[in-house]
Amino acid sequence: MTGPSTARQQVCILGSTGSVGANTLDVIARHPQRYQVFALTAHRRVDDLEGQCLRFQPRYAVMSDEPAAASLRARLRSAGSPTEVLGGVDALTEIAAHPDVDTVMAAIVGAAGLAPCLAAARAGKRLLLANKEALVVGGGFFMQAVRAGGAQLLPIDSEHSAIFQCLPEDPATWRERIERIILTASGGPFRDRDPASLCDVTPEQACAHPNWVMGRKISVDSATMMNKALEVIEARWLFSLEPEDIEVVIHPQSIVHSMVVCRDRSVLAQLGTPDMRVPIAFGLAYPERIESGAAHLDFTRLSGLTFEALDRRRFPGLQLAWDTLRAAAGSTAVLNAANEEAVAAFLAGTIRFDQIHTVNARTLDEVVPGADAAGSLEALLELDAGARRRARDFVKGLAA
């Protein structure tokens, strides 16, 4: 796979049919003179990827599911599209490391995004990280790949982008300036609900986020606050912090996206409308600023900005972030694997909403990583697979 370079930034979007991928394409469409879509990838959503390919005419399209790739290939050929379609998970890593790619938007949900993220890091790409699981699963191993490859890692999660925007450009000065960081959380759809009633939550209720439009898995994670637990783990690695240097507070309005507490006790915050196009535009253009398409923040129409302490009875899973960060290396990968299986079971109607935490906690109790569990991609994937098997056993037991 070779081809001529252009003056425009060549962008590969891993997971282009999800909400982050679609928002990335929206920002790119606003700046055709700056960005060109080099490759788009998806798993099985042939209809969505076909529409994106016909509009943006990428050089490559990748579907990790081989039959889906064959279907897309036939459709695009029939439409006269010049886009070359590749299939299989190996094609994801190949395209993420392609020599003509400048920027990789990593928006694949879950541990499936780890391998292509590693490939992009090792190839020295500008890596826009929306896939928090790459750090939750990969941890120090992933960060070592970023350093070895000379990649530029820019966070896209709104909270981590906010922290990054509040920090000086030189990472070497971060530790001497930061006392701690505060990640804000909306509290999701069940912030005021009686914890005893959470056993009756339906998938539709859990996916109805009050502020953000997201995929179903991430929406459920937001409702359980596991999304915030994963963000705590991600922040530990992104900003080289100790677990105790990371705090979470409830901020229902989702206007203050996160805060940095400096050594002199000054607090720096990044504010904006709850629109993922803002951190996406920041990552694409960094260190410049470009139009994102988001609405202006009108302070005169804000009724107030409020902050609340966490209710750990309602969100017991959040504590698992600090627990796994202090446990054996690889424990965060176990937590992520268990949670992916538990959320899938809940969305399928197999277990109750409140049993997601039960599956996660039991899996962590029984799957203890070995000394070399986080030393290679193969070891991490083996640990991930083992944790998933055990989590599925717990799901079967709860469903019986």
Side-chain angles (χ1 to χ4, degrees):
M1 297 190 299
T2 60
S5 61
T6 70
R8 289 184 292 174
Q9 192 177 140
Q10 300 293 301
V11 183
C12 168
I13 305 177
L14 302 173
S16 65
T17 59
S19 61
V20 172
N23 277 312
T24 302
L25 287 171
D26 181 88
V27 175
I28 286 175
R30 296 171 187 274
H31 303 278
Q33 75 286 358
R34 295 182 63 122
Y35 306 105
Q36 183 171 13
V37 178
F38 179 86
L40 299 173
T41 86
H43 182 44
R44 290 197 184 103
R45 295 168 67 173
V46 176
D47 291 346
D48 292 341
L49 192 55
E50 178 188 12
Q52 291 177 345
C53 287
L54 292 177
R55 179 182 178 189
F56 291 94
Q57 298 292 309
R59 195 188 308 177
Y60 296 101
V62 181
M63 303 213 75
S64 55
D65 181 75
E66 294 274 12
S71 176
L72 179 66
R73 189 176 298 114
R75 292 191 190 188
L76 292 182
R77 185 182 299 119
S78 176
S81 170
T83 298
E84 180 179 345
V85 179
L86 307 176
V89 292
D90 290 343
L92 291 173
T93 59
E94 184 181 359
I95 209 70
H98 192 287
D100 289 348
V101 168
D102 301 307
T103 298
V104 174
M105 168 59 77
I108 295 175
V109 175
L114 176 58
C117 281
L118 276 170
R122 288 166 173 163
K125 305 301 182 185
R126 170 177 282 208
L127 182 54
L128 310 184
L129 192 65
N131 171 270
K132 62 177 63 66
E133 290 85 358
L135 277 170
V136 173
V137 177
F141 175 73
F142 180 78
M143 292 303 296
Q144 183 180 20
V146 170
R147 291 189 292 270
Q152 183 180 38
L153 184 63
L154 296 171
I156 298 302
D157 272 346
S158 61
E159 296 82 0
H160 302 90
S161 177
I163 296 297
F164 187 85
Q165 292 181 57
C166 291
L167 294 173
E169 288 191 18
D170 183 6
T173 66
W174 289 356
R175 290 304 301 142
E176 65 188 42
R177 298 189 183 202
I178 301 174
E179 179 182 277
R180 58 194 167 94
I181 65 172
I182 302 173
L183 302 178
T184 56
S186 70
F190 309 131
R191 179 175 61 89
D192 297 321
R193 184 158 170 167
D194 181 356
S197 72
L198 294 179
C199 60
D200 298 325
V201 166
T202 67
E204 290 68 28
Q205 290 171 331
C207 291
H209 196 281
N211 299 337
W212 297 92
V213 177
M214 305 179 292
R216 286 170 67 80
K217 194 270 181 182
I218 298 176
S219 295
V220 174
D221 281 347
S222 182
T224 62
M225 288 283 279
M226 274 305 303
N227 196 45
K228 202 58 53 177
L230 300 180
E231 288 175 6
V232 168
I233 297 167
E234 183 183 6
R236 179 265 179 271
W237 294 109
L238 278 172
F239 306 116
S240 300
L241 298 170
E242 296 301 322
E244 55 269 22
D245 296 333
I246 306 168
E247 182 181 343
V248 174
V249 299
I250 300 294
H251 171 52
Q253 295 82 20
S254 296
I255 297 298
V256 177
H257 295 299
S258 277
M259 296 168 276
V260 173
V261 180
C262 302
R263 295 288 181 187
D264 62 2
R265 306 301 165 83
S266 298
V267 179
L268 307 179
Q270 186 264 338
L271 285 70
T273 53
D275 190 322
M276 282 304 298
R277 290 176 296 179
V278 175
I280 289 168
F282 177 79
L284 282 170
Y286 180 80
E288 300 177 54
R289 298 273 183 170
I290 60 173
E291 167 63 36
S292 68
H296 287 283
L297 181 61
D298 186 350
F299 286 94
T300 65
R301 301 186 66 179
L302 291 178
S303 59
L305 300 177
T306 61
F307 301 88
E308 307 166 7
L310 292 171
D311 182 345
R312 296 184 184 272
R313 293 184 309 132
R314 183 176 285 106
F315 305 118
L318 186 56
Q319 181 58 42
L320 297 178
W322 289 275
D323 293 345
T324 54
L325 281 172
R326 295 186 179 107
S331 296
T332 56
V334 174
L335 173 60
N336 180 74
N339 185 63
E340 287 189 18
E341 294 295 327
V343 171
F346 166 68
L347 288 172
T350 306
I351 63 173
R352 300 193 313 263
F353 179 81
D354 61 315
Q355 291 176 326
I356 294 173
H357 175 67
T358 301
V359 172
N360 292 344
R362 288 183 179 178
T363 305
L364 282 170
D365 285 342
E366 295 208 8
V367 181
V368 179
D372 59 347
S376 69
L377 176 59
E378 293 73 21
L380 283 168
L381 293 178
E382 183 178 349
L383 177 63
D384 175 84
R388 288 177 188 278
R389 287 192 297 269
R390 197 70 189 101
R392 287 194 290 266
D393 288 342
F394 287 128
V395 166
K396 290 178 183 176
L398 291 170

